[in-house]
Amino acid sequence: MAEALTIWTYDWVPEGKSGPRGHVRDIRLRWACEEAGFDYDVKSVPFSDRGAEHFARQPFGQVPYLEDDGLIIFESGAGLLHLARKSEALMPRDPKGEADTLQWTIAALSSIEMITVPWWFIGLSRPEINPLEDWALHRLKLLDDVLAQREWLAAGRFTVADILMSDVLRVPKVRAAADFPATQSYIERACARPAFKQAYDGQMAHFASGGQTQHYRP
């Protein structure tokens, strides 16, 4: 019998209005496992004392990283694509559907998150003019135009691309950016899925417990 997948995350992160609880990127892997019906465990590495073993598995000392039958995979996007290869629930197997899913998964990282994260960080210092404001809003408007024409991004159905894109978009700074109705509806659809709710509740419980190991079995 194969061992359960293991998602590694911090044992604790700050909470509150500006804290990252509920948005730490292990939620992406949790969500994918829930959608696919995988057995998985969630284990912890220290938030405040990141040791050599952590850096050996994640060279930037970040989370999450994924463990699967001896493989260690860091970066949430890489972990999602690894999980998508294991389940058709996350990515179709026909060449066209797979290519569509792959391109939108990469777009979430390279065309949206690459802009929205530094835009958010610059905004924290409250400059009079955020130099990334126009770029970020233009890119979000282009995405809203796409989402106005479809329920999900790729292959005519929910895929791993939607896990990644909706997680990028649900960050409060992004949601409050402007009046993008199609984007707001898309985020609400994605976050209403039972698998997202289970992933979110699991992450919040994990940090509240101080990082105790969690076991999930469908």
Side-chain angles (χ1 to χ4, degrees), residues 46 51 68 73 79 130 134 157 181:
D68 181 13
I73 303 162
N130 186 325
D134 290 345
R157 66 172 179 88

Side-chain angles (χ1 to χ4, degrees), residues 25-182:
R25 290 172 184 168
D26 65 86
I27 199 169
R28 299 172 178 180
L29 304 185
R30 291 171 177 267
W31 188 356
C33 287
E34 292 289 340
E35 293 282 358
F38 292 147
D39 291 355
Y40 68 102
D41 297 335
V42 179
K43 297 183 179 180
S44 295
V45 293
F47 175 76
S48 58
D49 185 17
R50 301 171 198 181
E53 185 176 357
H54 185 174
F55 282 91
R57 296 181 171 195
Q58 215 298 350
F60 306 106
Q62 298 174 313
V63 295
Y65 56 87
L66 180 68
E67 187 172 0
D68 181 13
D69 195 25
L71 294 174
I72 303 292
I73 303 162
F74 69 91
E75 293 294 342
S76 61
L80 284 173
L81 290 175
H82 176 77
L83 294 173
R85 292 179 62 192
K86 297 168 70 73
S87 173
E88 194 170 354
L90 299 174
M91 185 168 65
R93 294 299 181 251
D94 65 286
K96 184 176 184 301
E98 181 177 340
D100 202 17
T101 302
L102 288 172
Q103 70 183 356
W104 277 108
T105 301
I106 300 303
L109 294 169
S110 297
S111 296
I112 303 298
E113 191 171 48
M114 182 195 75
I115 300 167
T116 59
V117 169
W119 170 56
W120 171 68
F121 272 115
I122 291 170
L124 291 176
S125 63
R126 301 183 183 277
E128 290 186 12
I129 298 175
N130 186 325
L132 297 183
E133 186 85 8
D134 290 345
W135 189 22
L137 293 179
H138 177 65
R139 192 62 59 86
L140 291 171
K141 175 60 169 66
L142 293 174
L143 178 61
D144 193 70
D145 291 343
V146 172
L147 293 171
Q149 304 300 318
R150 61 186 76 177
E151 181 180 17
W152 303 113
L153 282 172
R157 66 172 179 88
F158 185 87
T159 68
V160 71
D162 297 300
I163 292 177
L164 189 45
M165 185 68 83
S166 60
D167 192 55
V168 170
L169 295 173
R170 71 184 182 90
V171 173
K173 167 72 173 177
V174 179
R175 292 202 70 169
D179 183 21
F180 297 130

Side-chain angles (χ1 to χ4, degrees), residues 162-214:
D162 297 300
I163 292 177
L164 189 45
M165 185 68 83
S166 60
D167 192 55
V168 170
L169 295 173
R170 71 184 182 90
V171 173
K173 167 72 173 177
V174 179
R175 292 202 70 169
D179 183 21
F180 297 130
T183 300
Q184 297 292 348
S185 295
Y186 171 72
I187 297 167
E188 289 166 8
R189 283 195 300 277
C191 294
R193 295 178 70 86
F196 171 80
K197 293 180 178 180
Q198 178 68 22
Y200 180 89
D201 290 346
Q203 184 181 96
M204 298 299 281
H206 178 81
F207 293 132
S209 74
Q212 294 181 13
T213 297
Q214 298 169 314

